[in-house]
Amino acid sequence: MPGRKALVTPILTEPWREVNSMEGLMEDFSEQIALGIKAALEKCFECELLEQLQSSWGKHNPDRVDYRNGYRYRSLQTRLGLIKDLRVPRSREGTYQSQILPRYKRYEAGVEDLVRDSFLAGVSTRRVGEVLEPLMGGSVSASTVSEITKALDGQVQKYHQRRLPDDVVYLFADAVYMTTKGGAKAARKAVLTLYAIKTNGEKELLDFRVADSESEAQWESFLNHLYKRGLEGSQLRLIISDGGTGLHAALQMVYGHVKRQRCWVHKLRNVIGRLRAKQRAGCLAQLRTVYQAKNGTEARKEYQSWAKAWGDEAPAAVACVEKDLEELLNFFSEPANLARRLRTTNAIERCFREVRRRTNPMSCFNNSASCERIIYAIFTYQNSRWKDRPIPELTHNT
């Protein structure tokens, strides 16, 4: 039916024409608002100038402190777009300094808030400008984002100094390495990190510290700082970590009353290093039956079978597991439905993957402060995602 097509086409196209016209109308509307803001600002500048110069239009004032001297033109990025050629008056002796638009300020406060919120929400420094460009009608460079995010330094310090409630049940400790520029050359810094599961089942990245290494002194200083802020460990049941000697010595000093769980993933890596290539598949397959057992008693039986089978063929591998066996099996003392979460540091390693995803394109930080801002942003984003989303197993057990 040739006539039917002619009837259907307008029905389909007319609504879209209306939408397109509305989009154009909104663009025009935004432009008019921007022009109104420009006119209002310029009027405010004039009033501000007269007040600071102690003068007024058409009147002589013997107390006048300066004279007007033409205009300079500035651009201001706002949430409604870029306001171009904003006319700001000048004074002859430089007495006039606008408090409405301070010198060198190029962005409205709301735009700076958008940049910081985008940064904290997980958008990389380089991509913030691309994300906000459609909203503001202009891009924000990566260097500008870095400058704006320096305002986060105060929030970072508050995060490091905030009071901690003593409600942590399980504590994961580990470190990730970042590269920062130094005086002579770039240096690798350890970001010491603590991840908590609380009594109410909520997860939280408690704190971090950019340190020179994972030495006992660095870890002990960090842990003591948290202890003094309230994390005394009265509710702590288990601390999960890798096999780092510095960390374990520090834990013994600060939280010596708390049982420790050695990470099975790290232990398996250690065992692999003590096996020949042809031994690895069979040895590791049997070793996995230890931590996959139903309970601690079965796990010890599985370990005895594994140690007997591989004691002569791979004595170094068996000795590697034997010396930490009790700490490898401590997770069996916790509720069975939580065991899988507690036998490795995978929970904190997943957070480190997000850290690496955000920081790999940067390759190197200018200083420790810029490193801290990025880590704080990532941790804030992760914590906001976990808020009010407790672990069901822990909630059920409590």
Side-chain angles (χ1 to χ4, degrees):
M1 297 176 63
R4 185 175 180 181
K5 183 177 180 181
L7 290 172
V8 171
T9 303
I11 293 174
L12 294 175
T13 57
E14 284 303 322
W16 291 108
R17 286 178 186 167
E18 184 178 346
V19 169
N20 290 333
S21 66
M22 284 296 293
E23 289 176 354
L25 179 63
M26 290 306 295
E27 289 178 7
D28 293 340
F29 190 56
S30 295
E31 288 177 9
Q32 292 303 315
I33 293 176
L35 288 173
I37 292 172
K38 179 182 179 183
L41 282 172
E42 290 177 346
K43 186 67 176 176
C44 289
F45 293 150
E46 293 291 345
C47 294
E48 188 181 43
L49 173 74
L50 294 175
E51 184 179 347
Q52 288 193 25
L53 300 187
Q54 298 183 28
S55 178
S56 59
W57 288 105
K59 293 183 180 180
H60 176 71
N61 183 358
D63 297 324
R64 175 193 288 268
V65 297
D66 203 349
Y67 294 84
R68 65 170 54 244
N69 185 31
Y71 298 92
R72 53 192 170 87
Y73 292 87
R74 297 266 298 272
S75 295
L76 179 66
Q77 186 72 62
T78 73
R79 286 165 290 182
L80 293 171
L82 182 66
I83 299 178
K84 297 180 180 179
D85 300 326
L86 191 60
R87 195 169 67 167
V88 183
R90 297 186 301 185
S91 63
R92 188 179 298 172
E93 302 297 331
T95 303
Y96 171 64
Q97 297 294 333
S98 176
Q99 302 301 310
I100 300 169
L101 185 64
R103 186 176 292 180
Y104 308 121
K105 187 173 179 65
R106 294 291 182 267
Y107 294 89
E108 176 203 1
V111 170
E112 295 183 354
D113 291 340
L114 278 174
V115 170
R116 284 193 291 270
D117 289 346
S118 299
F119 182 73
L120 290 174
V123 182
S124 70
T125 307
R126 296 179 185 276
R127 291 211 58 206
V128 166
E130 300 173 18
V131 171
L132 295 182
E133 184 171 357
L135 297 176
M136 300 190 304
S139 63
V140 180
S141 68
S143 59
T144 300
V145 174
S146 295
E147 284 300 313
I148 291 175
T149 55
K150 284 183 180 178
L152 291 173
D153 289 350
Q155 294 182 37
V156 174
Q157 291 308 309
K158 287 181 181 179
Y159 174 75
H160 288 322
Q161 301 297 331
R162 74 194 192 285
R163 187 70 182 171
L164 298 173
D166 196 20
D167 59 354
V168 178
V169 186
Y170 302 112
L171 190 65
F172 297 75
D174 206 347
V176 61
Y177 279 82
M178 299 284 111
T179 303
T180 62
K181 294 177 182 177
K185 60 180 182 179
R188 277 169 56 81
K189 297 283 188 178
V191 181
L192 313 181
T193 305
L194 291 177
Y195 166 105
I197 298 177
K198 300 185 171 185
T199 51
N200 62 0
E202 285 191 2
K203 301 174 288 184
E204 183 181 353
L205 286 157
L206 279 186
D207 205 354
F208 67 91
R209 175 175 290 188
V210 179
D212 292 331
S213 68
E214 290 188 75
S215 67
E216 178 183 349
Q218 295 282 1
W219 271 113
E220 187 175 338
S221 173
F222 181 39
L223 293 172
N224 267 321
H225 181 58
L226 272 74
Y227 186 93
K228 292 174 182 177
R229 286 161 55 197
L231 188 62
E232 297 180 1
S234 63
Q235 305 291 324
L236 262 177
R237 293 177 57 86
L238 199 63
I239 298 176
I240 302 94
S241 67
D242 62 11
T245 55
L247 171 57
H248 278 267
L251 286 171
Q252 186 60 36
M253 290 294 295
V254 183
Y255 297 114
H257 63 287
V258 184
K259 290 191 299 182
R260 271 166 261 161
Q261 171 63 41
R262 297 266 181 166
C263 172
W264 270 98
V265 171
H266 286 85
K267 180 56 68 176
L268 291 176
R269 290 173 189 162
N270 294 338
V271 170
I272 287 173
R274 291 163 172 79
L275 295 171
R276 295 193 298 272
K278 65 179 182 180
Q279 296 174 322
R280 290 172 184 171
C283 184
L284 293 179
Q286 188 174 355
L287 181 57
R288 289 189 186 99
T289 63
V290 178
Y291 64 77
Q292 290 173 349
K294 293 180 180 180
N295 52 55
T297 302
E298 291 296 325
R300 285 177 173 80
K301 290 179 180 178
E302 293 292 346
Y303 166 75
Q304 293 297 335
S305 299
W306 174 80
K308 185 176 181 180
W310 295 94
D312 295 333
E313 192 172 345
V318 173
C320 178
V321 176
E322 183 179 14
K323 69 184 181 67
D324 298 319
L325 183 62
E326 290 307 311
E327 289 187 350
L328 285 166
L329 301 182
N330 274 334
F331 74 96
F332 282 112
S333 300
E334 303 306 310
N337 55 0
L338 284 170
R340 189 171 182 178
R341 293 178 182 270
L342 304 176
R343 67 192 184 199
T344 71
T345 57
N346 283 353
I348 202 168
E349 288 289 347
R350 283 192 288 272
C351 301
F352 288 161
R353 282 199 291 273
E354 180 63 18
V355 169
R356 294 186 185 98
R357 183 187 70 80
R358 286 280 303 275
T359 58
N360 280 345
M362 303 172 191
S363 70
C364 184
F365 292 98
N366 288 330
N367 48 50
S368 293
S370 61
C371 179
E372 288 215 5
R373 283 194 292 273
I374 289 286
I375 302 298
Y376 168 75
I378 297 168
F379 284 12
T380 300
Y381 173 64
Q382 292 288 354
N383 285 339
S384 67
R385 290 180 60 204
W386 294 332
K387 191 169 181 59
D388 300 322
R389 294 174 61 187
I391 297 173
E393 296 92 337
L394 188 58
T395 307
H396 177 73
N397 287 324
T398 55

